[in-house]
Structures are given as structure tokens and as C-alpha cells.
């Protein structure tokens, strides 16, 4: 598998389509431990992303992910917009002018994205956030070179958020009452990696 601009564009298109289908489910997860807007937030953001990318000539992977980032930051309300936006922006910065990435090389760029999320949101693994799916997914991509493995790890990370107590974000206001629910951001991250597994060429 290799990831060039076309593969990354296919990734983004898959995410937008799947968010359209999963929006209600993600909103319901967020309604349990937050304010019920996570699916709507992201679906709106990725629809805007696709609108912007359509018709434009596909630039380098870095240019493409920067566009994704800036659009998410400017159109998605809530915590997840700036956090996912920073993820894509910092990943793009690590890409330089390279035209195509192996899974391991892409993982290194995504690790830069994770560092950006952690600088901004100050969360760690185990705080019941998107990071609990994202960190194992990117680790799997880096060590096994397989987006299918990464997608599986994201799903496992999502399931592992259920017994956790939220220590960051809106869900942390619930204290122990956040236990027993899946984190919506970890669920959207699992969706992101399910799409990545389909997108390589
Ligand atoms: P809001 O909570 O502002 O309504 P969303 O509902 O769109 O924003 O996103 C909520 C998700 O954002 C959570 O499920 C969690 O995964 C993620 N999140 C919240 N705060 C943080 C943080 N500090 N670091 C990483 N992820 C976070
Ligand atoms: Mg919310």
C-alpha cells in the first residue's frame, strides 16, 4: 500500500460518506456523555472539506491535508474541530514535499499529528478521548505497516474507552458517570482508520 494525493483524497471522501451514515450514531454517543453534537460537527466539517477539494487540482499530500485541517478548524464547532484540525495540520507539516508515503512513513507523519493534539488538548492515553483509539492505531500502522491492523487497533481502543472515566473534555464534567460509555471521539477515529484501510493504492 502507498499513500499519494489520490489515495489521501479517497480517504477523505470515504470519511465524509461514512460520517453521513454514522452522524446520528456519533451524536447519540456524544449525547450520553457530552452535548450530542459530535457526529453533526464532524459531518458538517468534512462536507465542507469535500466541497473545497472538489474541482481543485490535487496538490501534494501536504497541501491536501493542510486544506482539510484549515477547513476543519474554521467550520467545526466544539473541541473536535481544532483537535482534528491540528492533527491534520501537524501531519501535513511532517510530509514536506514528498509525493507518496509507505504506511510506515505515513505513520510517522500521523505521529506528528498526535503530538499536536496532545500539545493543544493536554490529554494522555487513558483519559477517554480520541487519543485512546488514535495512539494504538498509529502505533499499529508504524509497526505492522498495515492500515487494516491500524483500523483493528482503533476499534479495540474505542472498546477500551467504555470502562474508563473521562479526564478531559466535556465528558470529564460527569466524573464517574462517564464510565460505561464509549467515547464519541474514539468512535470517529475508528471510522477514520476504517477508511484509511480502504484508501491505499
Ligand atoms: P464538544 O465536546 O466541544 O462538544 P465534540 O463533541 O465535537 O466537542 O467532540 C468531543 C470529543 O472530543 C470527545 O469525545 C473526545 O474524544 C475529544 N476530546 C475532547 N477534549 C479532548 C482533549 N483535551 N484531547 C483530546 N481529545 C479530546
Ligand atoms: Mg459534543
Amino acid at each position: 500500500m502507498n499513500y499519494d494525493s489520490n489515495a489521501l483524497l479517497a480517504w477523505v471522501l470515504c470519511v465524509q460518506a461514512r460520517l453521513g451514515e454514522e452522524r446520528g450514531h456519533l451524536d447519540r454517543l456524544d449525547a450520553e456523555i457530552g452535548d450530542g453534537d459530535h457526529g453533526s460537527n464532524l459531518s458538517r466539517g468534512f462536507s465542507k472539506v469535500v466541497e473545497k477539494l472538489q474541482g481543485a487540482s490535487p496538490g501534494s499530500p501536504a497541501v491536501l491535508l493542510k486544506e482539510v485541517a484549515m477547513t476543519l478548524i474554521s467550520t467545526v464547532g466544539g473541541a473536535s474541530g481544532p483537535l482534528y484540525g491540528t492533527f491534520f495540520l501537524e501531519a501535513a507539516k511532517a510530509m514536506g514535499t514528498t509525493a507518496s508515503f509507505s504506511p510506515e512513513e505515513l505513520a510517522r507523519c500521523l505521529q506528528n499529528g498526535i503530538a499536536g493534539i496532545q500539545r493543544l488538548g493536554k490529554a494522555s492515553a487513558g483519559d477517554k478521548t480520541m487519543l485512546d483509539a488514535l495512539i494504538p492505531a498509529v502505533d499499529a500502522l508504524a509497526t505492522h505497516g498495515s492500515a487494516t491492523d491500524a483500523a483493528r487497533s482503533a476499534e479495540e481502543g474505542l472498546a477500551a474507552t467504555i470502562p474508563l472515566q473521562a479526564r478531559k473534555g466535556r465528558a470529564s464534567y460527569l466524573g464517574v458517570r462517564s464510565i460505561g460509555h464509549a467515547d464519541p471521539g474514539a468512535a470517529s477515529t475508528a471510522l477514520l482508520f476504517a477508511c484509511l484501510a480502504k484508501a491505499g493504492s
Side-chain angles (χ1 to χ4, degrees):
M1 286 282 196
N2 268 302
Y3 298 91
D4 59 9
S5 298
N6 284 328
L8 295 179
L9 180 60
W11 182 26
V12 170
L13 291 174
C14 172
V15 170
Q16 186 244 354
R18 296 281 293 120
L19 280 172
E21 295 160 7
E22 292 294 321
R23 169 194 174 138
H25 172 64
L26 292 171
D27 278 351
R28 281 191 293 280
L29 287 182
D30 194 30
E32 289 173 16
I33 54 170
D35 57 356
D37 64 357
H38 186 60
S40 302
N41 280 343
L42 281 187
S43 181
R44 187 177 56 251
F46 272 89
S47 292
K48 222 14 181 207
V49 166
V50 167
E51 213 174 276
K52 288 214 176 161
L53 292 177
Q54 253 153 19
S57 62
S60 65
V63 167
L64 191 135
L65 289 196
K66 209 163 280 178
E67 184 75 49
V68 172
M70 298 322 288
T71 308
L72 292 180
I73 291 169
S74 63
T75 62
V76 180
S80 61
L83 290 165
Y84 273 129
T86 299
F87 174 67
F88 286 110
L89 188 61
E90 293 301 315
K93 283 186 194 165
M95 288 179 156
T97 55
T98 305
S100 181
F101 296 87
S102 69
E104 292 85 351
E105 289 166 344
L106 180 64
R108 273 195 289 282
C109 300
L110 299 183
Q111 271 156 356
N112 213 48
I114 289 175
I117 292 181
Q118 295 196 284
R119 270 196 305 278
L120 181 64
K122 309 272 184 281
S124 312
D127 285 347
K128 197 180 179 101
T129 71
M130 55 175 68
L131 291 169
D132 291 318
L134 194 50
I135 293 172
V138 175
D139 279 353
L141 191 64
T143 37
H144 306 303
S146 156
T148 306
D149 280 5
R152 194 177 313 117
S153 295
E155 283 293 339
E156 287 166 5
L158 162 62
T161 64
I162 295 173
L164 295 175
Q165 177 173 337
R167 286 195 292 250
K168 283 285 181 294
R170 206 180 282 277
S172 67
Y173 307 157
L174 291 181
V176 290
R177 284 188 290 131
S178 63
I179 293 172
H181 305 275
D183 177 65
S188 57
T189 292
L191 183 156
L192 225 62
F193 280 84
C195 281
L196 187 66
K198 291 188 189 164
S201 58

